[in-house]
Structure formats: C-alpha cells, structure tokens
Amino acid sequence: MDEMTQLRELRADAPVPDRAALAPGRQRLTDSLAGGRSTRRLRADWRIASIGAAAAITAAALLTTQIGSDGPTHGATAAAPLTLDSPAEVLNRAADELAKQQAAPEPRDDQWIYTRTKIAQREPKAGSAGVGRLSYDPDSWVPYDNSAAAENGKDGDYRTARQVYRAADELPDDPALLLAKVRSFYPTGHTADSLPEAEAQHSFRAMGLMVEAYPIAPDALARIYRALATVPGVKVTDHLVKDAAGRDAIAITRKEDGSHEQREILISPRDYSYAGMRFVAAEDYEMKVPTGMKVPPETYKAGEVLTSEARIRAAVVDAEGQKP
C-alpha cells in the first residue's frame, strides 16, 4: 500500500467535509502557495486538520494554537436565569429575544464583511499520527456581493453573504418547511468525496452554515433557531462551555452519523448571537492507523475538544482592510 493511500485511510471514519465552509479556505490556501500572503485564513472545520490535508497545510506558514488560550468573554449572561435543560427551551427563548430586535439595513453591494476569528485545535501527542498545526489569518474581509467567487469557484455549495442574507430573510415560519428550504440551499453531496447525508445530519450541518452567516436579520435568525430545535438528535450541553477565545457559550450539539465526534453550534448566552463552532469527542475512541505506518495510535476521551472556532468580531465595512 502506498503512502498516500495510507494517509487517505487514516481518517476514513471522519464525517464528510462541509464543502460550503471549506471552499473559501481552499482558494486562500491556493493563493498562498502561489506566492500570496503567507498566512491565509482557513475555515474551521476540524477535518482541515486531518491527515489527508496535512501535506497542503504544512506547505503554508504554520501557526500553532491551543485549546483554552486567553481571549475576551461575551460579557454577562442574560439577566433571567438560563436553564440548559432542553434545546427547544434554549432555542425558543433565544428566538423570542431575537424577534424583539430591530434589523439593520441590508449592506450595499459595494460593502465588505469583516470578521475576526480565533481557532484552537487539540495538539496531538509527540510522535502521534495527528496534525496539530493550522494556518490562518484571524482578520478576514469578503465582499458582500462576492459574485465572482460564487460564479468562478469549483464548489457548487459556495454562497455569498448577500445570497445567504436574502435566502434567510425569505425562510418560512413553519420549521419543517424551513428545514427543507435550508437543505435545498446547502445540498448534500453527490460525489465520492462528498457523499449524501441522512436528512437529520444534513439539516444540522446546513443550519449550522446558515447560523454562522453574517449579517443575518434577527427575525430570520429567530426562525432558524426555532426550526433548529426540531432537528432529530439535537441536544444542548447542560452547562456553559468555552469557545476558542475562552468565552462562555451555549453548545447546541448533534452527534455526527457514523462517527465518534459531535458537531456543536456555539451561541452567546448574552445576546444569543452566533459565537462559534466546535467538534468534540462524543465517546472514548482510538484513531485507526493503517498497517505499516510507524506511528502510535491517537486516543481521544469523551468530551475532549478536537477543534474550535470563535468569531470574535463581525461588522459591515466600506472597504477591504477597514476595521470597525
């Protein structure tokens, strides 16, 4: 068996990558390798750090981040006691608060979306098969109307900020109809590299992509939260967790089908905005290592954070490079 085959099989049990989330990162990495900026930001799907992507990532400038590093907090939690007993209770309460908020005007087509992000990743043991480094730029500027990228990109699931904003604004109130619309907006895979998903997992993945979009009208996000609570298998962690910036966050979770990990959508307990995402070990397990690879197996404990992304700031600005 050749080395590349071994590398591909090493994380064969990992869930299918989010093509919509990874497409911008692929382009930035390509630009970097072609002589662009040395630290291009990669979107935070933990599978970026899989062995299959290791060769490309290592070719770029490598920055190491640690889970639990210092960072700002969201601030005080909501005034009323927050009970994390059920996802429906949490998400419906969040929706009620969001529905009271006034929406800002939709950005102009010539404006930019600025985000600042912090990524943290589990560092593997010395000599293990894992990859503990990730290259990214915490500051990002993307045109609100990024039509050129949407039209020229190879990933059919890529959506511009404008497309997501308008699609979210038109979502129906009925949760079942809303979920169907979002699944259609972010379709499941149909290739060997992006296999079809079961409906519940497809819904949770697609809703996660919709929730992390910026900007999104408060009433649209409220409808999304209400529908998210109805996805089969969705849960809420019974205590606040820490995001990659060390802030408290509510974790809305679902175990990935056929995997040992769970995907978590993180929400601020202060204003119920999107705070970030995490992949966490749902159970104790040992990563399989192909026969012939001389590395010790990597072991994981239930509750261990594999990768985490925190959105520290997001804003609409008038020009690339401008910060709010």
Short mmCIF file of all heavy atoms in Angstrom, two decimals, residues 27-96:
data_model
loop_
_atom_site.label_atom_id
_atom_site.label_comp_id
_atom_site.label_asym_id
_atom_site.label_seq_id
_atom_site.Cartn_x
_atom_site.Cartn_y
_atom_site.Cartn_z
N GLN A 27 -9.38 28.25 -1.65
CA GLN A 27 -8.88 29.29 -2.54
C GLN A 27 -7.77 30.08 -1.89
O GLN A 27 -6.76 30.41 -2.53
CB GLN A 27 -10.03 30.22 -2.93
CG GLN A 27 -9.63 31.28 -3.97
CD GLN A 27 -9.13 30.66 -5.25
OE1 GLN A 27 -9.78 29.83 -5.85
NE2 GLN A 27 -7.93 31.04 -5.67
N ARG A 28 -7.92 30.41 -0.58
CA ARG A 28 -6.87 31.17 0.10
C ARG A 28 -5.59 30.38 0.21
O ARG A 28 -4.50 30.91 0.08
CB ARG A 28 -7.38 31.61 1.48
CG ARG A 28 -8.37 32.75 1.41
CD ARG A 28 -8.65 33.33 2.79
NE ARG A 28 -9.40 32.39 3.59
CZ ARG A 28 -10.73 32.35 3.60
NH1 ARG A 28 -11.43 33.16 2.83
NH2 ARG A 28 -11.36 31.49 4.38
N LEU A 29 -5.71 29.07 0.44
CA LEU A 29 -4.52 28.24 0.53
C LEU A 29 -3.83 28.16 -0.81
O LEU A 29 -2.60 28.24 -0.91
CB LEU A 29 -4.90 26.84 1.01
CG LEU A 29 -3.74 25.85 1.23
CD1 LEU A 29 -2.73 26.44 2.19
CD2 LEU A 29 -4.26 24.52 1.72
N THR A 30 -4.61 28.04 -1.90
CA THR A 30 -4.03 28.02 -3.24
C THR A 30 -3.29 29.31 -3.52
O THR A 30 -2.19 29.32 -4.05
CB THR A 30 -5.14 27.81 -4.29
OG1 THR A 30 -5.80 26.57 -4.02
CG2 THR A 30 -4.56 27.78 -5.69
N ASP A 31 -3.91 30.44 -3.17
CA ASP A 31 -3.26 31.74 -3.36
C ASP A 31 -1.96 31.82 -2.59
O ASP A 31 -0.94 32.34 -3.08
CB ASP A 31 -4.18 32.87 -2.92
CG ASP A 31 -5.41 33.00 -3.80
OD1 ASP A 31 -5.39 32.44 -4.92
OD2 ASP A 31 -6.38 33.64 -3.36
N SER A 32 -1.96 31.31 -1.36
CA SER A 32 -0.77 31.35 -0.52
C SER A 32 0.37 30.57 -1.13
O SER A 32 1.51 31.01 -1.19
CB SER A 32 -1.09 30.82 0.88
OG SER A 32 0.04 30.84 1.69
N LEU A 33 0.07 29.36 -1.62
CA LEU A 33 1.09 28.51 -2.21
C LEU A 33 1.61 29.10 -3.52
O LEU A 33 2.72 28.81 -3.95
CB LEU A 33 0.54 27.11 -2.46
CG LEU A 33 0.16 26.33 -1.21
CD1 LEU A 33 -0.49 25.00 -1.59
CD2 LEU A 33 1.37 26.09 -0.35
N ALA A 34 0.78 29.97 -4.16
CA ALA A 34 1.19 30.58 -5.42
C ALA A 34 2.00 31.84 -5.20
O ALA A 34 2.37 32.52 -6.14
CB ALA A 34 -0.04 30.90 -6.26
N GLY A 35 2.27 32.19 -3.95
CA GLY A 35 3.11 33.34 -3.68
C GLY A 35 2.38 34.49 -3.06
O GLY A 35 2.90 35.60 -3.02
N GLY A 36 1.17 34.28 -2.57
CA GLY A 36 0.40 35.33 -1.93
C GLY A 36 0.84 35.51 -0.49
O GLY A 36 1.95 35.18 -0.10
N ARG A 37 -0.09 36.02 0.35
CA ARG A 37 0.24 36.23 1.75
C ARG A 37 0.58 34.91 2.40
O ARG A 37 0.05 33.86 2.09
CB ARG A 37 -0.96 36.87 2.45
CG ARG A 37 -1.26 38.26 1.96
CD ARG A 37 -2.55 38.77 2.57
NE ARG A 37 -2.43 38.82 4.02
CZ ARG A 37 -3.46 39.01 4.80
NH1 ARG A 37 -4.67 39.14 4.30
NH2 ARG A 37 -3.29 39.05 6.10
N SER A 38 1.45 34.94 3.38
CA SER A 38 1.96 33.71 3.98
C SER A 38 1.00 33.10 4.99
O SER A 38 1.16 31.95 5.37
CB SER A 38 3.30 33.98 4.67
OG SER A 38 3.13 34.93 5.70
N THR A 39 0.04 33.86 5.46
CA THR A 39 -0.89 33.32 6.45
C THR A 39 -2.31 33.58 6.02
O THR A 39 -2.92 34.57 6.41
CB THR A 39 -0.66 33.94 7.84
OG1 THR A 39 -0.71 35.36 7.73
CG2 THR A 39 0.67 33.52 8.42
N ARG A 40 -2.84 32.68 5.21
CA ARG A 40 -4.22 32.79 4.75
C ARG A 40 -5.13 32.09 5.73
O ARG A 40 -4.83 31.02 6.23
CB ARG A 40 -4.35 32.14 3.36
CG ARG A 40 -3.46 32.79 2.30
CD ARG A 40 -4.07 34.09 1.81
NE ARG A 40 -3.21 34.70 0.80
CZ ARG A 40 -3.56 35.76 0.12
NH1 ARG A 40 -4.71 36.33 0.32
NH2 ARG A 40 -2.75 36.26 -0.77
N ARG A 41 -6.28 32.69 5.96
CA ARG A 41 -7.20 32.11 6.93
C ARG A 41 -7.91 30.90 6.35
O ARG A 41 -8.42 30.95 5.25
CB ARG A 41 -8.24 33.14 7.35
CG ARG A 41 -9.24 32.60 8.35
CD ARG A 41 -10.20 33.67 8.80
NE ARG A 41 -11.16 33.11 9.71
CZ ARG A 41 -12.34 32.65 9.33
NH1 ARG A 41 -12.68 32.64 8.06
NH2 ARG A 41 -13.19 32.17 10.22
N LEU A 42 -7.93 29.79 7.10
CA LEU A 42 -8.66 28.60 6.72
C LEU A 42 -9.88 28.47 7.61
O LEU A 42 -9.80 28.64 8.82
CB LEU A 42 -7.79 27.34 6.87
CG LEU A 42 -6.57 27.30 5.97
CD1 LEU A 42 -5.82 26.01 6.22
CD2 LEU A 42 -6.96 27.39 4.51
N ARG A 43 -11.06 28.15 7.00
CA ARG A 43 -12.27 27.98 7.77
C ARG A 43 -12.13 26.82 8.74
O ARG A 43 -11.43 25.86 8.49
CB ARG A 43 -13.45 27.72 6.83
CG ARG A 43 -13.79 28.93 5.97
CD ARG A 43 -14.18 30.11 6.82
NE ARG A 43 -15.40 29.85 7.53
CZ ARG A 43 -16.58 30.18 7.07
NH1 ARG A 43 -16.72 30.78 5.93
NH2 ARG A 43 -17.66 29.89 7.77
N ALA A 44 -12.86 26.90 9.86
CA ALA A 44 -12.64 25.96 10.95
C ALA A 44 -13.56 24.75 10.86
O ALA A 44 -14.54 24.65 11.55
CB ALA A 44 -12.83 26.65 12.29
N ASP A 45 -13.26 23.85 10.00
CA ASP A 45 -13.84 22.52 10.07
C ASP A 45 -12.69 21.62 10.52
O ASP A 45 -11.62 21.66 9.96
CB ASP A 45 -14.34 22.08 8.68
CG ASP A 45 -15.11 20.79 8.76
OD1 ASP A 45 -14.62 19.85 9.39
OD2 ASP A 45 -16.20 20.72 8.17
N TRP A 46 -12.90 20.82 11.59
CA TRP A 46 -11.77 20.08 12.17
C TRP A 46 -11.14 19.15 11.16
O TRP A 46 -9.98 18.78 11.29
CB TRP A 46 -12.22 19.31 13.40
CG TRP A 46 -13.08 18.11 13.14
CD1 TRP A 46 -14.43 18.10 13.06
CD2 TRP A 46 -12.66 16.77 12.94
NE1 TRP A 46 -14.88 16.84 12.82
CE2 TRP A 46 -13.82 15.99 12.74
CE3 TRP A 46 -11.41 16.14 12.90
CZ2 TRP A 46 -13.77 14.64 12.52
CZ3 TRP A 46 -11.38 14.77 12.69
CH2 TRP A 46 -12.53 14.04 12.49
N ARG A 47 -11.89 18.79 10.08
CA ARG A 47 -11.31 17.89 9.11
C ARG A 47 -10.23 18.56 8.28
O ARG A 47 -9.49 17.91 7.57
CB ARG A 47 -12.43 17.34 8.22
CG ARG A 47 -13.27 16.35 9.02
CD ARG A 47 -14.63 16.23 8.43
NE ARG A 47 -15.32 17.50 8.46
CZ ARG A 47 -16.63 17.59 8.55
NH1 ARG A 47 -17.37 16.54 8.63
NH2 ARG A 47 -17.21 18.78 8.57
N ILE A 48 -10.11 19.91 8.33
CA ILE A 48 -8.98 20.58 7.70
C ILE A 48 -7.69 20.01 8.25
O ILE A 48 -6.68 19.93 7.56
CB ILE A 48 -9.03 22.10 7.96
CG1 ILE A 48 -10.24 22.72 7.24
CG2 ILE A 48 -7.77 22.78 7.47
CD1 ILE A 48 -10.43 24.17 7.55
N ALA A 49 -7.72 19.63 9.53
CA ALA A 49 -6.52 19.14 10.19
C ALA A 49 -6.35 17.64 10.03
O ALA A 49 -5.49 17.05 10.67
CB ALA A 49 -6.57 19.48 11.68
N SER A 50 -7.13 17.00 9.22
CA SER A 50 -6.97 15.57 9.01
C SER A 50 -5.70 15.29 8.24
O SER A 50 -5.13 16.17 7.60
CB SER A 50 -8.17 15.01 8.24
OG SER A 50 -8.16 15.52 6.93
N ILE A 51 -5.27 14.05 8.28
CA ILE A 51 -4.04 13.69 7.60
C ILE A 51 -4.13 13.94 6.10
O ILE A 51 -3.16 14.32 5.47
CB ILE A 51 -3.71 12.20 7.86
CG1 ILE A 51 -3.40 12.01 9.34
CG2 ILE A 51 -2.53 11.74 7.03
CD1 ILE A 51 -2.21 12.77 9.83
N GLY A 52 -5.30 13.76 5.52
CA GLY A 52 -5.45 13.96 4.09
C GLY A 52 -5.11 15.37 3.67
O GLY A 52 -4.70 15.60 2.55
N ALA A 53 -5.29 16.37 4.58
CA ALA A 53 -5.00 17.77 4.26
C ALA A 53 -3.65 18.20 4.79
O ALA A 53 -3.22 19.31 4.54
CB ALA A 53 -6.08 18.68 4.83
N ALA A 54 -2.97 17.34 5.50
CA ALA A 54 -1.74 17.73 6.18
C ALA A 54 -0.67 18.22 5.23
O ALA A 54 0.03 19.19 5.50
CB ALA A 54 -1.20 16.56 7.00
N ALA A 55 -0.51 17.56 4.10
CA ALA A 55 0.56 17.93 3.18
C ALA A 55 0.38 19.34 2.67
O ALA A 55 1.33 20.12 2.61
CB ALA A 55 0.61 16.95 2.01
N ALA A 56 -0.87 19.70 2.31
CA ALA A 56 -1.11 21.04 1.80
C ALA A 56 -0.95 22.09 2.87
O ALA A 56 -0.39 23.15 2.64
CB ALA A 56 -2.52 21.12 1.20
N ILE A 57 -1.46 21.82 4.07
CA ILE A 57 -1.38 22.79 5.16
C ILE A 57 0.06 23.02 5.58
O ILE A 57 0.49 24.14 5.84
CB ILE A 57 -2.23 22.33 6.36
CG1 ILE A 57 -3.70 22.34 5.95
CG2 ILE A 57 -2.01 23.22 7.57
CD1 ILE A 57 -4.62 21.78 7.01
N THR A 58 0.85 21.95 5.64
CA THR A 58 2.23 22.08 6.06
C THR A 58 3.03 22.91 5.07
O THR A 58 4.00 23.56 5.43
CB THR A 58 2.87 20.69 6.20
OG1 THR A 58 2.06 19.92 7.10
CG2 THR A 58 4.28 20.78 6.77
N ALA A 59 2.60 22.92 3.81
CA ALA A 59 3.31 23.69 2.80
C ALA A 59 3.19 25.18 3.04
O ALA A 59 4.01 25.96 2.59
CB ALA A 59 2.79 23.35 1.41
N ALA A 60 2.14 25.59 3.74
CA ALA A 60 1.95 27.00 4.05
C ALA A 60 2.63 27.33 5.37
O ALA A 60 3.08 26.46 6.09
CB ALA A 60 0.46 27.32 4.13
N ALA A 61 2.68 28.64 5.73
CA ALA A 61 3.22 29.02 7.03
C ALA A 61 2.34 28.45 8.11
O ALA A 61 1.13 28.54 8.03
CB ALA A 61 3.26 30.54 7.14
N LEU A 62 2.96 27.87 9.17
CA LEU A 62 2.19 27.15 10.18
C LEU A 62 2.16 27.93 11.48
O LEU A 62 3.19 28.40 11.97
CB LEU A 62 2.80 25.76 10.42
CG LEU A 62 2.79 24.85 9.19
CD1 LEU A 62 3.48 23.53 9.52
CD2 LEU A 62 1.37 24.59 8.75
N LEU A 63 0.95 28.07 12.02
CA LEU A 63 0.77 28.71 13.31
C LEU A 63 0.11 27.73 14.24
O LEU A 63 -0.83 27.05 13.86
CB LEU A 63 -0.12 29.95 13.17
CG LEU A 63 0.38 31.04 12.22
CD1 LEU A 63 -0.66 32.13 12.12
CD2 LEU A 63 1.70 31.59 12.70
N THR A 64 0.59 27.63 15.46
CA THR A 64 0.03 26.68 16.41
C THR A 64 -0.82 27.42 17.43
O THR A 64 -0.39 28.41 17.99
CB THR A 64 1.15 25.94 17.15
OG1 THR A 64 1.97 25.28 16.19
CG2 THR A 64 0.58 24.92 18.12
N THR A 65 -2.03 26.93 17.64
CA THR A 65 -2.90 27.50 18.67
C THR A 65 -3.33 26.41 19.61
O THR A 65 -3.35 25.25 19.25
CB THR A 65 -4.14 28.16 18.04
OG1 THR A 65 -4.79 27.19 17.22
CG2 THR A 65 -3.76 29.36 17.19
N GLN A 66 -3.69 26.79 20.82
CA GLN A 66 -4.03 25.81 21.85
C GLN A 66 -5.45 26.00 22.33
O GLN A 66 -5.95 27.11 22.41
CB GLN A 66 -3.09 25.99 23.06
CG GLN A 66 -1.64 25.69 22.77
CD GLN A 66 -1.40 24.21 22.59
OE1 GLN A 66 -2.14 23.40 23.12
NE2 GLN A 66 -0.39 23.85 21.84
N ILE A 67 -6.12 24.91 22.64
CA ILE A 67 -7.43 24.99 23.26
C ILE A 67 -7.29 25.65 24.63
O ILE A 67 -6.38 25.35 25.39
CB ILE A 67 -8.01 23.57 23.44
CG1 ILE A 67 -8.31 22.96 22.06
CG2 ILE A 67 -9.22 23.58 24.32
CD1 ILE A 67 -9.45 23.63 21.35
N GLY A 68 -8.21 26.58 24.93
CA GLY A 68 -8.20 27.20 26.25
C GLY A 68 -7.28 28.39 26.34
O GLY A 68 -6.96 28.84 27.43
N SER A 69 -6.82 28.95 25.22
CA SER A 69 -5.94 30.11 25.28
C SER A 69 -6.76 31.34 25.65
O SER A 69 -7.97 31.36 25.59
CB SER A 69 -5.26 30.32 23.93
OG SER A 69 -6.21 30.33 22.90
N ASP A 70 -6.04 32.39 26.01
CA ASP A 70 -6.70 33.59 26.51
C ASP A 70 -7.53 34.25 25.42
O ASP A 70 -7.22 34.20 24.25
CB ASP A 70 -5.66 34.60 27.02
CG ASP A 70 -4.95 34.08 28.25
OD1 ASP A 70 -5.53 33.22 28.93
OD2 ASP A 70 -3.82 34.53 28.51
N GLY A 71 -8.58 34.92 25.79
CA GLY A 71 -9.40 35.64 24.84
C GLY A 71 -10.49 36.39 25.58
O GLY A 71 -10.76 36.14 26.74
N PRO A 72 -11.16 37.31 24.88
CA PRO A 72 -12.22 38.10 25.52
C PRO A 72 -13.43 37.24 25.81
O PRO A 72 -13.61 36.18 25.25
CB PRO A 72 -12.53 39.16 24.45
CG PRO A 72 -12.16 38.50 23.16
CD PRO A 72 -10.97 37.64 23.48
N THR A 73 -14.27 37.70 26.68
CA THR A 73 -15.50 36.98 27.01
C THR A 73 -16.68 37.70 26.39
O THR A 73 -16.60 38.86 26.00
CB THR A 73 -15.69 36.90 28.53
OG1 THR A 73 -15.81 38.23 29.04
CG2 THR A 73 -14.52 36.21 29.19
N HIS A 74 -17.82 37.04 26.32
CA HIS A 74 -19.02 37.66 25.79
C HIS A 74 -19.54 38.72 26.74
O HIS A 74 -20.28 39.61 26.33
CB HIS A 74 -20.12 36.60 25.64
CG HIS A 74 -19.92 35.71 24.47
ND1 HIS A 74 -19.97 36.16 23.18
CD2 HIS A 74 -19.68 34.38 24.38
CE1 HIS A 74 -19.80 35.16 22.34
NE2 HIS A 74 -19.61 34.07 23.05
N GLY A 75 -19.20 38.63 28.00
CA GLY A 75 -19.76 39.53 28.99
C GLY A 75 -20.77 38.79 29.84
O GLY A 75 -20.85 37.58 29.83
N ALA A 76 -21.56 39.52 30.59
CA ALA A 76 -22.53 38.91 31.49
C ALA A 76 -23.57 38.12 30.71
O ALA A 76 -23.92 38.46 29.59
CB ALA A 76 -23.21 39.99 32.31
N THR A 77 -24.04 37.05 31.31
CA THR A 77 -25.09 36.26 30.68
C THR A 77 -26.42 36.99 30.79
O THR A 77 -26.54 38.01 31.45
CB THR A 77 -25.20 34.88 31.34
OG1 THR A 77 -25.44 35.06 32.73
CG2 THR A 77 -23.93 34.09 31.15
N ALA A 78 -27.44 36.44 30.12
CA ALA A 78 -28.76 37.07 30.14
C ALA A 78 -29.24 37.26 31.58
O ALA A 78 -28.93 36.48 32.46
CB ALA A 78 -29.75 36.21 29.35
N ALA A 79 -30.02 38.33 31.80
CA ALA A 79 -30.43 38.69 33.15
C ALA A 79 -31.23 37.58 33.83
O ALA A 79 -31.01 37.24 34.98
CB ALA A 79 -31.24 39.98 33.10
N ALA A 80 -32.21 37.01 33.11
CA ALA A 80 -33.01 35.93 33.69
C ALA A 80 -32.19 34.65 33.73
O ALA A 80 -31.33 34.44 32.89
CB ALA A 80 -34.27 35.73 32.87
N PRO A 81 -32.44 33.79 34.74
CA PRO A 81 -31.68 32.54 34.83
C PRO A 81 -31.82 31.72 33.55
O PRO A 81 -32.91 31.61 32.99
CB PRO A 81 -32.33 31.83 36.03
CG PRO A 81 -32.95 32.93 36.83
CD PRO A 81 -33.40 33.95 35.84
N LEU A 82 -30.72 31.18 33.09
CA LEU A 82 -30.71 30.40 31.87
C LEU A 82 -30.66 28.92 32.23
O LEU A 82 -29.69 28.46 32.83
CB LEU A 82 -29.49 30.77 31.02
CG LEU A 82 -29.37 30.07 29.67
CD1 LEU A 82 -30.55 30.44 28.78
CD2 LEU A 82 -28.06 30.47 29.00
N THR A 83 -31.70 28.20 31.89
CA THR A 83 -31.78 26.78 32.19
C THR A 83 -31.46 25.98 30.94
O THR A 83 -32.16 26.10 29.93
CB THR A 83 -33.19 26.39 32.69
OG1 THR A 83 -33.49 27.20 33.83
CG2 THR A 83 -33.24 24.92 33.08
N LEU A 84 -30.41 25.17 30.99
CA LEU A 84 -29.98 24.41 29.83
C LEU A 84 -30.51 22.98 29.91
O LEU A 84 -29.75 22.01 29.92
CB LEU A 84 -28.45 24.43 29.74
CG LEU A 84 -27.82 25.82 29.67
CD1 LEU A 84 -26.29 25.73 29.68
CD2 LEU A 84 -28.30 26.57 28.43
N ASP A 85 -31.83 22.86 29.97
CA ASP A 85 -32.46 21.55 30.13
C ASP A 85 -32.81 20.91 28.79
O ASP A 85 -32.74 19.69 28.65
CB ASP A 85 -33.73 21.67 30.97
CG ASP A 85 -33.43 21.96 32.43
OD1 ASP A 85 -32.30 21.64 32.87
OD2 ASP A 85 -34.29 22.53 33.11
N SER A 86 -33.20 21.72 27.82
CA SER A 86 -33.61 21.15 26.53
C SER A 86 -33.27 22.13 25.42
O SER A 86 -33.32 23.36 25.62
CB SER A 86 -35.11 20.85 26.52
OG SER A 86 -35.85 22.05 26.40
N PRO A 87 -32.94 21.63 24.23
CA PRO A 87 -32.63 22.53 23.12
C PRO A 87 -33.83 23.38 22.72
O PRO A 87 -33.66 24.54 22.34
CB PRO A 87 -32.21 21.57 21.99
CG PRO A 87 -32.78 20.25 22.36
CD PRO A 87 -32.78 20.21 23.86
N ALA A 88 -35.03 22.81 22.83
CA ALA A 88 -36.22 23.57 22.47
C ALA A 88 -36.39 24.78 23.38
O ALA A 88 -36.68 25.89 22.92
CB ALA A 88 -37.46 22.68 22.52
N GLU A 89 -36.19 24.58 24.69
CA GLU A 89 -36.33 25.69 25.64
C GLU A 89 -35.30 26.78 25.36
O GLU A 89 -35.63 27.97 25.33
CB GLU A 89 -36.16 25.17 27.06
CG GLU A 89 -36.28 26.24 28.13
CD GLU A 89 -36.09 25.70 29.55
OE1 GLU A 89 -36.05 24.46 29.70
OE2 GLU A 89 -35.98 26.52 30.47
N VAL A 90 -34.06 26.38 25.15
CA VAL A 90 -32.99 27.35 24.93
C VAL A 90 -33.19 28.09 23.61
O VAL A 90 -33.12 29.33 23.54
CB VAL A 90 -31.62 26.65 24.95
CG1 VAL A 90 -30.52 27.61 24.51
CG2 VAL A 90 -31.32 26.11 26.35
N LEU A 91 -33.43 27.36 22.53
CA LEU A 91 -33.51 27.97 21.21
C LEU A 91 -34.78 28.80 21.04
O LEU A 91 -34.76 29.84 20.37
CB LEU A 91 -33.42 26.89 20.14
CG LEU A 91 -32.02 26.26 20.02
CD1 LEU A 91 -32.06 25.00 19.16
CD2 LEU A 91 -31.02 27.25 19.45
N ASN A 92 -35.87 28.37 21.64
CA ASN A 92 -37.09 29.18 21.56
C ASN A 92 -36.97 30.46 22.37
O ASN A 92 -37.48 31.52 21.98
CB ASN A 92 -38.30 28.37 22.01
CG ASN A 92 -38.75 27.38 20.95
OD1 ASN A 92 -38.81 27.71 19.77
ND2 ASN A 92 -39.06 26.16 21.35
N ARG A 93 -36.28 30.36 23.51
CA ARG A 93 -36.05 31.57 24.30
C ARG A 93 -35.15 32.54 23.52
O ARG A 93 -35.42 33.75 23.48
CB ARG A 93 -35.40 31.21 25.63
CG ARG A 93 -34.96 32.45 26.41
CD ARG A 93 -34.47 32.06 27.79
NE ARG A 93 -33.81 33.17 28.44
CZ ARG A 93 -33.35 33.15 29.68
NH1 ARG A 93 -33.51 32.06 30.41
NH2 ARG A 93 -32.76 34.19 30.21
N ALA A 94 -34.12 32.00 22.90
CA ALA A 94 -33.24 32.83 22.07
C ALA A 94 -34.02 33.49 20.95
O ALA A 94 -33.85 34.68 20.66
CB ALA A 94 -32.10 31.98 21.52
N ALA A 95 -34.90 32.71 20.32
CA ALA A 95 -35.70 33.24 19.23
C ALA A 95 -36.62 34.36 19.71
O ALA A 95 -36.79 35.39 19.02
CB ALA A 95 -36.52 32.11 18.61
N ASP A 96 -37.20 34.20 20.89
CA ASP A 96 -38.08 35.24 21.43
C ASP A 96 -37.32 36.55 21.61
O ASP A 96 -37.85 37.64 21.32
CB ASP A 96 -38.65 34.80 22.78
CG ASP A 96 -39.67 33.67 22.66
OD1 ASP A 96 -40.19 33.46 21.54
OD2 ASP A 96 -39.94 33.01 23.68
#
